[in-house]
Amino acid sequence: MSTITYREAIVRAQREALAADPRVILMGEDIGAAGGPFKTTEGLFEEFGPLRVRDTPISENAFVGAAMGMALTGYRPVIELMFADFMGVCFDQIVNSIAKHRFMCGGKVAVPVTIRAMGGGGVRFGAQHSQTGETWVYQFPGLKVFCPASPADAYLMLRQAIDDPDPVIVLEHKAMMAMKGEIQTDAGRWPAQRPQVVRPGRDVTLVASLAMVRRAMAAADALAAQGIQAEVIDLRVLRPLVAEPIIDSVTRTGALVVVEENHESGGWGAEIVARALTAAFDYIDKPPVRVTLPDWPMPYSPALEDAAVPSVQKIVDAVLAQH
Amino acid sequence: MSTITYREAIVRAQREALAADPRVILMGEDIGAAGGPFKTTEGLFEEFGPLRVRDTPISENAFVGAAMGMALTGYRPVIELMFADFMGVCFDQIVNSIAKHRFMCGGKVAVPVTIRAMGGGGVRFGAQHSQTGETWVYQFPGLKVFCPASPADAYLMLRQAIDDPDPVIVLEHKAMMAMKGEIQTDAGRWPAQRPQVVRPGRDVTLVASLAMVRRAMAAADALAAQGIQAEVIDLRVLRPLVAEPIIDSVTRTGALVVVEENHESGGWGAEIVARALTAAFDYIDKPPVRVTLPDWPMPYSPALEDAAVPSVQKIVDAVLAQH
Amino acid sequence: MAGKSSEATGRVVSIASVLGAAGARTAYEKLLLIREFENKVYDSFVAGLVQGTTHLCQGQEAVSVGTVMALRDDDYLTYTYRGHGPCIARGMDLEGAFAEIFGRSTGVSGGLGGSMHLTDMQLGLLGSFAIVGAGLPVAVGAGISARERGIGQVSMTWFGDGATNIGAFHESMNLAAVWKLPVIFVCENNLYGEYSPILSTTPMQDLVVRASAYAMPGVVVDGNDVVAVLDATRRAVARARAGDGPTFIECKTYRQCGHSRSDAGKYRPPGELDAWMERDPIVLFRNRLLAEGLLDKAGLAATEQRVREEVQAAAARAAEGPWPEVRPLHDATYAGTLTA
Amino acid sequence: MAGKSSEATGRVVSIASVLGAAGARTAYEKLLLIREFENKVYDSFVAGLVQGTTHLCQGQEAVSVGTVMALRDDDYLTYTYRGHGPCIARGMDLEGAFAEIFGRSTGVSGGLGGSMHLTDMQLGLLGSFAIVGAGLPVAVGAGISARERGIGQVSMTWFGDGATNIGAFHESMNLAAVWKLPVIFVCENNLYGEYSPILSTTPMQDLVVRASAYAMPGVVVDGNDVVAVLDATRRAVARARAGDGPTFIECKTYRQCGHSRSDAGKYRPPGELDAWMERDPIVLFRNRLLAEGLLDKAGLAATEQRVREEVQAAAARAAEGPWPEVRPLHDATYAGTLTA
Ligand SMILES: Cc1ncc(C[n+]2csc(CCOP(=O)(O)OP(=O)(O)O)c2C)c(N)n1
Ligand SMILES: Cc1ncc(C[n+]2csc(CCOP(=O)(O)OP(=O)(O)O)c2C)c(N)n1
Ligand SMILES: [Mg+2]
Ligand SMILES: [Mg+2]
């Protein structure tokens, strides 16, 4: 165990992967000497050199596709896409090539590509630099989608992603870069790749991901003061989605509130609600509530951005209104 | 009223729009003299010439982005993207530029772009040419997403899309091209842009889109023979999603089954289930069911493709299992 | 001239012959305006008035001014996150620009866009794109409109050296070339994409050679010489207006500050910045104005004073602007009425 | 040689000097094999054994054979929906290929891929891409591997003239050039993208000029002359193996049949097809084999007979193949175990 930031956890996971496996190669814009636009590759260029930590041209479609070519021929590329919004310029390679190639080959190949992308709002970057990307990719079979909401997960999920024989998209959240926490380096103690109860409670199940987990936790604190014990579940893995922990929880609490940093229509919250209500139909006694981004792009103005991203207060209010 | 095919309805809508408004310009690959890969622009090049019906290079990102530039400067471009799967290569322009530009300009401009793309399975085109595209785009505020499930809607939705001041993605289904039906040319009689009950029933609400509507109708016939009266709702407009007709229906039937040609995780079916169960919580007395594609890419082999796309029998079975 | 370093390079043209006295004053004023504007944005960032990030263009002002001055009022423009230059050169309201960057409701886009998204349709400022390369296809589309409308409009788009490696650049160049559209592609080759020197990402330093891949005329110009930029752009614009199609203009220039707010520019080889500071476009032009006797020191000082005051006053007014009201923003998202 | 029609064009090299007698026989056999294979796929479509669509390459066989014969067993290949040629030239099992196209479980990908997606990792056949341009980045990635591994492997990718207008082409060419990767870009310029003649979508007919935009050597070769193709490819491969980076090879050829199953080819100017049929790559090579005395008529006839029988037999066996069992396909989707 050691206490580091979310950003440092990302660096460390990559450093260890590079050291452990010569097949691991990092690629992305300005990840070399500059250490990455978010400093998530700091020091790695110095340590592993320009062939293992490669600065690319601004050609996302080419280097994401190249990652697949590398994976098919024995390497384990790790791509840094910088902003998750940039998945737009390489979407074809992600969803049509990388996600489907193994399948189209009859399952005869593996495509061990890791793609890291940093998303999310709250940092005044405007409509084209604030999307989490979660709902862009979690619908595609063939991909795995990891969403680390703590330094511990930023570390272990990235290590798991790089080790995984399948393509994994790791969606990091830029508002969490400085968040501190303990990491678990002993792989034997890593939790399973599924949602995790991060705070137990008996009255309502709060499901959140990425930066919303902290807010859900804070809301649970506030609710506890008002006598409502919220159970908080960190969704963690968006695909493949394992609903059991959520179903189990709502079966006990009887109420579900999801908190996500995506628009309501098309958000993963609907999937959670649908699965929970289908499986625990007889146990849920309150209409579920979704706390999401509003139905417009992310505004730039701080006043409006803060009003858009689900706040602790909004989560509290949603739970109170439900109860 | 006149009886034509789905494909002819698409041609007709474009012909009328071209004739009515000199600002309308069609662009796409091989839509000119060749009449379009799906023959959905047949005869238009001959009638309106090469400047109004433009063959493009294979440069989707450029001509979709160009459509926005044309729209901002006084024209009304209509793009044919051919296969919906090709949205991957121009995803950035669709979701980051076209969807958000008006908003980022403070609402001071309109972006009247129409994008037509043909999707869906059942025609042995394999994993990269069979996706409906519905779940790729319906999550983005700023876009409208129309899904015509009949010649009537293929005609009127395309006319509405071209007239709309906002960007509209019209997702046509290639397995329906030869479907015949009546079209309504009198705009005064067009239904509102929302889901529509296409068959009334009292026992269960079936919600479907595109090619699944026909199958849901056939399933309703089969169910009627077994004494179950299914109400079938054609979803029609995925964004903005108007849930009232569905909520109203499930309030009466108490049971919901959605049928869609997308994977379960990330499908719009979850959104329908979530909205219906949230709003009509006290009226629904059976767990909802989703009939979807399985959680793998579309297989090429006819045997496997037919097993993957929701069949009439699967819909019937789902309803029977629910009841 | 396709694929060759053009005749424009190295050619010294007199200010008077290209700009005239009044034009020279305007150009000087615009150069200063952009410089002062960017400096003020920087200060405002430091002062906490601007959050997020911002990408400034000090050192590249001559490209904005020289290219924009070749345009007509009804021409179209698209540009990038580093796009304050073309906006100010085009005459964007300074208070509105500052207010947008400060996130105020008085901003040109009501605070919804921000520093990376200054636009003003009245001025043909169609859009500022934060995704590298994304503005080029849009400019091509405006070029289609211009061509269709048939009144000699042109469309101009700015982008960096790094942007020439993204697919959108290629597709746009080809489309403009094959349809002979009136589009001017202005490449601001400032030697870096973020922190990457051009030769680490591109197998050549002279990007003009890329024009020949589209049978498109290409010219290289000293991007720190506003007169040369204007001169070269005028020729390209004339070709476009005459129906002779697009031109690629490579402007060799330098970004004097970091890529964005958080960049200290440590990747620069020693001496490089200093060398370019000596070729500062404003200083160069100022010296030539004096040498050619188009403005005297007093006149220059008066202009400088006026511009500085104008910028400071606009920023001050912008900082007083109210925050946008928190309200549903459906109407900013959609132009049509929603059934929902 | 960047940007110029290369020395390879027009140069007539003797078969014997390039291929030797055994190589000549192999080349002839491979040419025939592809032709017979494609003809049989066509017939199978008409007979209802193939559904959906299929994109055939009759007329372009010399490109597949000439380029593939320059490769080593451990090289990598990516190609397109019109990719049966490279697969057969590389030695893909014929029954497995037919069975895949027929959708049978005995297909090379168990029927999951189909006509547009023939692959065989054992042969370095990494992937067939149905999205125009999508195979190029993947080949670049294989080129990175090849370069890293350091045993002289190369990566080769095929694409059409139309594909040179998509962003992925540009980004891939640049990346391969700037990293000096051992990638051979084989452009099959068959004059059409679907139904669009090249000059309607591209401002030039000679695509080789595009290589110079990446400071990459480019050569043009008669794509219907298998010897010329092999000769040019060998040089490119040698450069790549030596660490001297990528080459762009433009093969001028012609698609004798329609774009896909539903295309009758009405867009062709009268006489064009006939002229190209006279330059049929198999007839040309056959005549030269006879002229150079490398095979006599009897030898040719025997080869033709053998190939035809081999193809027919493979197709017949494939048609007997069982349909894939309807079962959960999670294991075909993911290589790892799923917690779900
Ligand atoms: C598609 C995409 N990839 C990456 C980025 C991040 N990014 C922003 S600016 C920039 C560098 C652009 O360099 P250049 O085109 O030379 O323009 P300059 O910033 O020098 O004006 C990068 C990589 C982006 N905005 N969009
Ligand atoms: C991104 C994308 N756009 C469009 C298509 C449809 N399409 C398939 S083949 C083709 C023509 C390609 O022409 P070319 O590159 O010359 O190759 P050829 O078919 O002549 O071998 C097109 C447009 C596609 N598959 N992918
Ligand atoms: Mg630059
Ligand atoms: Mg072609």
Side-chain angles (χ1 to χ4, degrees):
Chain A
M1 288 276 192
S2 64
T3 302
I4 59 178
T5 65
Y6 189 89
R7 182 186 68 74
E8 289 161 350
I10 296 167
V11 178
R12 178 158 175 175
Q14 292 174 105
R15 175 179 296 114
E16 292 178 7
L18 283 161
D21 187 345
R23 299 172 305 168
V24 173
I25 292 180
L26 273 44
M27 303 201 297
E29 290 154 24
D30 300 300
I31 65 165
F38 291 94
K39 296 276 178 274
T40 49
T41 53
E42 204 172 33
L44 303 181
F45 177 84
E46 291 73 9
E47 199 170 333
F48 299 97
L51 293 180
R52 308 275 317 275
V53 183
R54 291 179 175 238
D55 275 340
T56 62
I58 309 173
S59 311
E60 284 84 359
N61 204 50
F63 66 77
V64 167
M68 179 163 114
M70 293 165 74
L72 292 175
T73 54
Y75 285 82
R76 294 194 162 253
V78 180
I79 299 295
E80 165 160 332
L81 260 192
M82 210 180 310
F83 289 83
D85 318 66
F86 302 166
M87 289 195 294
V89 295
C90 49
F91 205 64
D92 177 61
Q93 287 293 345
I94 297 175
V95 311
N96 284 328
S97 295
I98 291 176
K100 298 178 172 54
H101 200 68
R102 173 181 170 79
F103 184 86
M104 297 189 301
C105 294
K108 293 186 183 169
V109 301
V111 185
V113 169
T114 299
I115 298 177
R116 296 177 41 236
M118 279 147 285
V123 284
R124 294 37 171 138
F125 277 7
Q128 294 185 331
H129 281 68
S130 297
Q131 301 164 95
T132 66
E134 292 169 290
T135 51
W136 297 31
V137 287
Y138 89 105
Q139 68 193 275
F140 293 100
L143 300 179
K144 295 180 179 174
V145 183
F146 293 176
C147 300
S150 65
D153 268 358
Y155 170 78
L156 77 85
M157 285 184 158
L158 187 47
R159 294 229 48 188
Q160 289 180 325
I162 298 172
D163 281 350
D164 204 288
D166 291 306
V168 182
I169 309 216
V170 185
L171 297 171
E172 297 157 356
H173 197 293
K174 50 189 179 293
M176 290 197 290
M177 288 293 156
M179 178 186 188
K180 284 199 170 167
E182 297 194 327
I183 66 165
Q184 175 58 264
T185 53
D186 176 359
R189 294 168 179 241
W190 289 344
Q193 283 176 15
R194 45 161 63 201
Q196 209 182 353
V197 175
V198 287
R199 174 190 174 116
R202 53 154 204 264
D203 299 324
V204 58
T205 301
L206 289 182
V207 181
S209 73
L210 291 170
M212 296 301 103
V213 174
R214 273 200 294 199
R215 297 196 178 191
M217 292 292 273
D221 283 343
L223 287 163
Q226 306 193 40
I228 296 178
Q229 301 301 332
E231 176 147 308
V232 180
I233 296 186
D234 177 354
L235 190 53
R236 301 183 72 244
V237 179
L238 262 175
R239 177 172 281 272
L241 185 59
V242 182
E244 279 74 34
I246 296 161
I247 294 164
D248 174 65
S249 175
V250 294
T251 303
R252 287 183 281 101
T253 64
L256 174 65
V257 172
V258 299
V259 189
E260 66 174 315
E261 208 182 314
N262 303 291
H263 307 289
E264 180 171 359
S265 271
W268 52 252
E271 185 66 39
I272 301 301
V273 168
R275 296 225 193 179
L277 267 77
T278 302
F281 191 74
D282 294 330
Y283 298 89
I284 297 198
D285 39 45
K286 299 187 182 62
V289 179
R290 288 185 278 164
V291 186
T292 69
L293 292 178
D295 238 356
W296 47 83
M298 188 66 83
Y300 165 74
S301 179
L304 297 176
E305 182 173 43
D306 289 342
V309 180
S311 62
V312 174
Q313 191 56 51
K314 266 201 198 138
I315 304 168
V316 169
D317 290 348
V319 173
L320 291 178
Q322 190 188 42
H323 281 76
Chain B
M1 288 276 192
S2 64
T3 302
I4 58 177
T5 66
Y6 190 89
R7 182 186 68 74
E8 288 161 351
I10 295 167
V11 178
R12 178 158 173 175
Q14 292 174 104
R15 175 179 296 114
E16 291 178 7
L18 282 161
D21 187 345
R23 299 171 305 169
V24 173
I25 292 180
L26 271 45
M27 302 201 299
E29 289 154 24
D30 300 299
I31 65 166
F38 290 95
K39 296 275 177 278
T40 49
T41 52
E42 204 172 33
L44 302 182
F45 177 84
E46 290 74 8
E47 199 172 332
F48 298 97
L51 292 180
R52 308 276 316 275
V53 183
R54 291 179 175 236
D55 274 340
T56 62
I58 309 173
S59 311
E60 284 83 0
N61 204 50
F63 65 76
V64 167
M68 180 164 113
M70 293 165 74
L72 292 175
T73 54
Y75 285 82
R76 294 195 161 254
V78 180
I79 299 294
E80 166 161 330
L81 259 194
M82 209 180 312
F83 288 83
D85 318 66
F86 302 166
M87 289 193 294
V89 295
C90 49
F91 205 63
D92 175 62
Q93 286 293 345
I94 297 175
V95 311
N96 285 328
S97 295
I98 290 177
K100 299 179 170 54
H101 201 68
R102 173 180 169 80
F103 184 86
M104 296 188 302
C105 293
K108 294 187 182 166
V109 301
V111 185
V113 170
T114 299
I115 298 176
R116 297 177 40 235
M118 279 148 285
V123 285
R124 296 32 175 141
F125 277 6
Q128 293 185 331
H129 279 68
S130 298
Q131 300 164 96
T132 66
E134 291 169 290
T135 50
W136 296 31
V137 287
Y138 90 106
Q139 69 193 273
F140 294 99
L143 300 179
K144 296 179 179 174
V145 183
F146 294 176
C147 300
S150 65
D153 269 357
Y155 169 78
L156 77 85
M157 285 184 159
L158 187 47
R159 295 230 45 189
Q160 288 179 326
I162 299 173
D163 281 349
D164 204 289
D166 291 307
V168 182
I169 310 216
V170 185
L171 298 170
E172 298 156 356
H173 197 293
K174 48 188 181 294
M176 290 198 289
M177 286 293 157
M179 177 186 189
K180 284 198 169 169
E182 295 193 330
I183 65 165
Q184 175 57 266
T185 53
D186 177 359
R189 293 167 180 242
W190 288 345
Q193 282 176 14
R194 46 160 63 200
Q196 211 183 351
V197 174
V198 288
R199 174 190 175 118
R202 55 154 202 266
D203 299 326
V204 58
T205 301
L206 290 181
V207 180
S209 72
L210 291 171
M212 295 302 102
V213 175
R214 274 201 294 201
R215 297 196 177 189
M217 293 292 273
D221 283 343
L223 288 163
Q226 305 190 40
I228 295 178
Q229 302 300 334
E231 177 146 308
V232 180
I233 296 185
D234 177 354
L235 190 53
R236 300 183 71 244
V237 178
L238 262 175
R239 178 171 281 271
L241 185 60
V242 182
E244 279 74 32
I246 296 161
I247 294 165
D248 174 65
S249 176
V250 294
T251 304
R252 286 183 281 102
T253 64
L256 173 65
V257 173
V258 299
V259 189
E260 66 173 314
E261 208 181 315
N262 303 290
H263 307 289
E264 181 171 358
S265 272
W268 52 253
E271 186 66 39
I272 300 301
V273 168
R275 295 227 193 179
L277 266 77
T278 302
F281 191 74
D282 295 330
Y283 298 90
I284 298 197
D285 38 46
K286 299 187 183 61
V289 179
R290 288 185 279 165
V291 186
T292 70
L293 292 178
D295 238 356
W296 48 82
M298 188 65 83
Y300 165 75
S301 178
L304 297 177
E305 182 173 41
D306 289 342
V309 180
S311 63
V312 174
Q313 190 57 49
K314 265 202 200 138
I315 304 168
V316 169
D317 291 347
V319 173
L320 292 178
Q322 190 189 43
H323 282 77
Chain C
M1 56 181 161
K4 295 211 196 73
S5 288
S6 109
E7 64 329 336
T9 311
R11 194 169 70 140
V12 180
V13 266
S14 82
I15 299 181
S17 71
V18 174
L19 277 160
R25 275 192 297 276
T26 307
Y28 189 61
E29 209 171 300
K30 281 182 189 291
L31 289 170
L32 286 176
L33 211 50
I34 299 175
R35 175 68 53 92
E36 291 296 327
F37 185 88
E38 295 293 66
N39 287 345
K40 186 68 194 174
V41 172
Y42 183 86
D43 294 344
S44 306
F45 210 114
V46 174
L49 265 167
V50 182
Q51 298 181 29
T53 188
T54 189
H55 307 79
L56 306 176
C57 71
Q58 290 99 329
Q60 306 181 201
E61 295 91 345
V63 178
S64 296
V65 174
T67 50
V68 169
M69 282 186 76
L71 296 178
R72 250 170 41 185
D73 281 354
D74 61 352
D75 292 330
Y76 301 121
L77 304 81
T78 79
Y79 34 93
T80 73
Y81 50 89
R82 198 182 308 288
H84 304 168
C87 292
I88 306 297
R90 185 71 171 172
M92 179 176 273
D93 176 63
L94 293 182
E95 181 188 341
F98 275 123
E100 187 62 31
I101 295 169
F102 297 169
R104 307 307 166 100
S105 68
T106 41
V108 287
S109 302
L112 300 188
S115 171
M116 294 202 279
H117 300 289
L118 300 183
T119 53
D120 186 338
M121 295 298 140
Q122 304 307 318
L123 299 174
L125 292 164
L126 301 184
S128 172
F129 293 80
I131 306 291
V132 166
L136 280 75
V138 179
V140 169
I144 297 172
S145 290
R147 179 95 200 234
E148 281 293 293
R149 202 172 287 112
I151 54 167
Q153 293 163 287
V154 307
S155 169
M156 189 175 282
T157 181
W158 287 258
F159 51 90
D161 46 290
T164 68
N165 290 329
I166 201 159
F169 163 80
H170 173 69
E171 297 189 2
S172 301
M173 292 281 286
N174 183 68
L175 193 55
V178 75
W179 288 356
K180 275 199 167 253
L181 299 174
V183 182
I184 321 292
F185 293 90
V186 180
C187 177
E188 300 193 72
N189 187 347
N190 62 9
L191 309 185
Y192 292 90
E194 291 198 345
Y195 324 120
S196 293
I198 181 163
L199 283 180
S200 71
T201 58
T202 310
M204 73 256 303
Q205 286 207 76
D206 292 316
L207 297 171
V208 70
V209 62
R210 298 206 155 169
S212 60
Y214 315 96
M216 191 191 294
V219 295
V220 188
V221 69
D222 176 355
N224 285 20
D225 177 349
V226 66
V227 186
V229 173
L230 173 59
D231 188 43
T233 311
R234 277 200 186 140
R235 289 160 203 269
V237 168
R239 285 190 69 248
R241 293 207 204 285
D244 293 333
T247 301
F248 177 89
I249 304 178
E250 178 183 359
C251 302
K252 303 276 196 190
T253 184
Y254 196 74
R255 197 188 66 206
Q256 294 178 352
C257 54
H259 161 66
S260 65
R261 245 300 281 162
S262 51
D263 171 22
K266 292 198 194 134
Y267 43 82
R268 299 186 152 128
E272 187 182 79
L273 178 61
D274 293 341
W276 279 95
M277 290 307 282
E278 285 181 18
R279 301 206 62 257
D280 181 283
I282 301 185
V283 174
L284 286 185
F285 190 57
R286 191 177 198 278
N287 291 344
R288 284 182 60 193
L289 284 174
L290 291 171
E292 292 192 29
L294 288 163
L295 265 174
D296 58 15
K297 286 210 167 156
L300 288 169
T303 308
E304 286 154 20
Q305 175 73 8
R306 185 160 32 79
V307 165
R308 195 159 301 134
E309 283 171 12
E310 196 185 330
V311 168
Q312 299 294 333
R317 285 195 307 276
E320 304 282 287
W323 294 108
E325 179 201 352
V326 175
R327 62 170 184 90
L329 292 169
H330 297 295
D331 59 344
T333 312
Y334 290 100
T337 48
L338 300 183
T339 337
Chain D
M1 54 184 165
K4 294 212 195 73
S5 289
S6 108
E7 62 334 335
T9 311
R11 195 170 70 138
V12 180
V13 265
S14 84
I15 299 181
S17 71
V18 175
L19 277 159
R25 277 193 297 277
T26 307
Y28 189 60
E29 211 172 298
K30 281 183 188 289
L31 288 169
L32 285 175
L33 210 51
I34 299 175
R35 174 68 53 91
E36 291 295 327
F37 184 88
E38 295 293 66
N39 287 343
K40 187 67 193 175
V41 172
Y42 183 86
D43 293 345
S44 306
F45 210 115
V46 174
L49 265 167
V50 183
Q51 299 180 28
T53 187
T54 188
H55 307 78
L56 305 176
C57 72
Q58 290 99 328
Q60 305 180 202
E61 295 90 345
V63 178
S64 296
V65 175
T67 50
V68 168
M69 282 184 75
L71 296 178
R72 251 169 41 185
D73 281 356
D74 61 351
D75 291 330
Y76 301 121
L77 304 81
T78 79
Y79 34 93
T80 73
Y81 52 89
R82 197 182 307 289
H84 304 167
C87 292
I88 306 298
R90 186 71 171 172
M92 179 175 275
D93 176 63
L94 294 181
E95 181 188 340
F98 276 123
E100 187 62 32
I101 295 170
F102 299 169
R104 307 308 168 99
S105 68
T106 42
V108 286
S109 302
L112 301 188
S115 171
M116 295 201 278
H117 301 289
L118 300 183
T119 52
D120 186 339
M121 295 299 139
Q122 304 307 317
L123 299 174
L125 292 164
L126 301 185
S128 172
F129 293 80
I131 306 291
V132 166
L136 279 75
V138 179
V140 169
I144 297 171
S145 291
R147 179 96 201 237
E148 280 294 293
R149 202 172 285 113
I151 54 167
Q153 293 165 288
V154 307
S155 169
M156 189 175 282
T157 181
W158 288 258
F159 51 91
D161 45 290
T164 67
N165 290 329
I166 201 157
F169 163 80
H170 173 70
E171 297 189 4
S172 301
M173 292 280 286
N174 183 68
L175 193 55
V178 76
W179 287 356
K180 274 198 168 255
L181 300 173
V183 182
I184 321 294
F185 293 90
V186 180
C187 177
E188 300 194 72
N189 186 348
N190 63 9
L191 308 185
Y192 292 89
E194 292 198 343
Y195 324 120
S196 294
I198 181 164
L199 283 179
S200 72
T201 58
T202 310
M204 73 256 303
Q205 284 206 75
D206 293 315
L207 297 171
V208 70
V209 62
R210 296 205 157 171
S212 60
Y214 315 96
M216 190 191 294
V219 294
V220 188
V221 68
D222 176 354
N224 284 19
D225 177 349
V226 66
V227 186
V229 173
L230 173 58
D231 188 43
T233 310
R234 277 199 185 139
R235 290 160 202 269
V237 168
R239 285 189 69 248
R241 293 206 205 286
D244 293 333
T247 301
F248 178 89
I249 305 178
E250 178 183 0
C251 301
K252 304 275 196 188
T253 185
Y254 197 73
R255 195 187 68 205
Q256 293 177 353
C257 53
H259 160 67
S260 65
R261 245 300 282 162
S262 52
D263 171 22
K266 291 199 192 130
Y267 44 82
R268 298 185 154 130
E272 187 181 79
L273 179 58
D274 293 341
W276 278 95
M277 291 307 283
E278 285 181 18
R279 301 205 63 256
D280 182 282
I282 301 185
V283 175
L284 286 184
F285 191 57
R286 192 178 197 277
N287 291 343
R288 284 182 61 192
L289 285 174
L290 291 171
E292 292 192 29
L294 287 163
L295 264 175
D296 58 14
K297 287 212 166 155
L300 288 169
T303 309
E304 286 155 19
Q305 175 73 9
R306 183 162 32 79
V307 167
R308 195 159 302 133
E309 282 170 12
E310 196 186 329
V311 168
Q312 299 293 332
R317 285 194 308 275
E320 305 282 287
W323 294 108
E325 179 201 352
V326 175
R327 63 169 185 91
L329 292 168
H330 297 294
D331 59 344
T333 312
Y334 291 100
T337 48
L338 299 183
T339 337

